[in-house]
């Protein structure tokens, strides 16, 4: 699958617009739950998701709004989720990115960070292999997630089974307020991953073409029986961990360096090389802004869940 540059830009712009809309809801007291900031993570979420077939499965983490969008979760539904409405994917049961799945879209709802979705994605990939289905599972985790026991156990099993899974590690330099050099004895995530038996590659996570290229290779390898790949994508979390976090602990120079490498800015700087024009990009910007504005009106007009349905979907207590 080659990358369609205008489509790639559109998905990244849509991700940013939805993210900023959610943040504004929260800042104006309308958000029901919390929200994890996405700024800087647009290329990492969108690029890999664009490499998949509809039957493939994704298990995104809390900073992969773009993957939900690419896989068909509409802005209306994502905003309804954030506003705790019945029309959201958790039917108003959760109002941040937890539980925001839809198996009809092959999106496994986010369970928790660190990295609870990883063994689920590996399990899905093992099932695909067992049933000889030509499907791939893709999941994302963070630098913090990569130092957990669950990460090592999941990679070991994936490598042992040669499971068709692609694991993207979003190295955004921080796990909550802890910088990578303070949480990892060996901050080389690719090296640590390879030691567990998987192929691991490193990529510039803010360059959608680079992320897409590495992901396409990994998806092809998985689908053709070549087993799992870890893609370590370097980026920076440009805002706090979540909306409540003022992130005063992040040094300005780091943010300044990465601001110049914003995924949308990099794309725009290369517009000529892609055969796209700035006018085309600005037209996409206004289309997307109108689309999200309309989606917000729909979401805000949607009902809250009926309290009588509160136990729906509860299977054990
Ligand atoms: C099992 C579990 N432990 C701890 C937390 C609290 N927590 C949420 S995110 C996070 C840090 C995650 O860091 P990283 O994996 O680097 O992802 P990032 O948030 O930077 O994208 C922590 C400690 C949690 N949600 N779930
Ligand atoms: Mg992190």
């Amino acid at each position: 699958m080659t990358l369609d540059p205008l489509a790639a830009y559109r998905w990244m712009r849509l991700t940013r617009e939805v993210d900023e809309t959610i943040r504004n809801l929260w800042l104006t007291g309308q958000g029901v739950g919390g929200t994890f900031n996405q700024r800087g993570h647009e290329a990492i979420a969108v690029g890999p998701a664009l490499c998949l077939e509809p039957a493939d499965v994704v298990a995104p983490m809390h900073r992969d709004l773009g993957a939900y969008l690419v896989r068909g979760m509409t802005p209306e539904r994502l905003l309804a989720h954030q506003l705790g409405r019945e029309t959201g994917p958790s039917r108003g049961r959760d109002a941040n990115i937890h539980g925001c799945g839809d198996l009809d879209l092959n999106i496994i709802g986010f369970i928790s960070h660190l990295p609870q979705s990883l063994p689920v994605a590996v399990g899905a990939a093992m099932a695909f292999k067992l049933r000889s289905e030509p499907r791939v599972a893709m999941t994302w985790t963070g630098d913090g997630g990569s130092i957990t026991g669950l990460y090592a156990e999941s990679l070991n099993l994936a490598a042992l089974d040669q499971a068709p899974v692609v694991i993207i590690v979003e190295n955004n330099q921080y796990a909550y307020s802890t910088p990578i050099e303070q949480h990892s004895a060996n901050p080389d995530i690719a090296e640590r991953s390879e030691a567990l038996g998987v192929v691991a590659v490193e990529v510039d996570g803010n360059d959608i073409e680079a992320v897409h290229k590495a992901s396409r290779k990994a998806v092809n390898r998985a689908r053709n029986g070549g087993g799992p790949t870890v893609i370590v994508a370097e980026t920076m979390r440009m805002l706090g961990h979540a909306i409540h976090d003022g992130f005063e602990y992040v040094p300005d120079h780091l943010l300044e360096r990465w601001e110049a490498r914003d995924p949308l800015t990099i794309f725009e700087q290369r517009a000529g090389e892609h055969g796209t024009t700035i006018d085309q990009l600005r037209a996409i910007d206004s289309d997307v802004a109108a689309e999200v504005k309309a989606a917000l009106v729909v979401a805000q007009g949607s009902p809250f869940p009926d309290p009588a349905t509160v136990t729906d979907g509860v299977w054990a207590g």
Side-chain angles (χ1 to χ4, degrees), residues 108-133:
I108 297 173
F110 174 59
I111 308 159
S112 185
H113 324 248
L114 300 175
Q116 270 62 15
S117 297
L118 184 46
V120 181
V122 170
M126 290 170 77
F128 297 155
K129 188 177 173 194
L130 199 63
R131 299 187 202 132
S132 302
E133 294 173 354

Side-chain angles (χ1 to χ4, degrees), residues 123-210:
M126 290 170 77
F128 297 155
K129 188 177 173 194
L130 199 63
R131 299 187 202 132
S132 302
E133 294 173 354
R135 299 167 71 188
V136 171
M138 178 178 276
T139 190
W140 288 255
T141 185
D143 47 288
S146 82
I147 46 163
T148 62
L150 208 47
Y151 182 81
E153 291 170 45
S154 304
L155 259 57
N156 177 61
L157 208 53
L160 202 59
D161 195 59
Q162 288 293 284
V165 61
V166 177
I167 297 149
I168 294 118
V169 182
E170 306 184 50
N171 181 11
N172 64 4
Q173 320 300 322
Y174 281 82
Y176 214 127
S177 53
T178 310
I180 185 164
E181 58 278 6
Q182 282 179 35
H183 71 57
S184 285
N186 176 3
D188 187 333
I189 299 171
E191 187 180 85
R192 279 198 268 113
S193 305
E194 271 179 344
L196 290 157
V198 301
V199 174
V201 295
E202 290 171 328
V203 73
D204 176 349
N206 285 16
D207 176 348
I208 191 154
E209 289 165 284

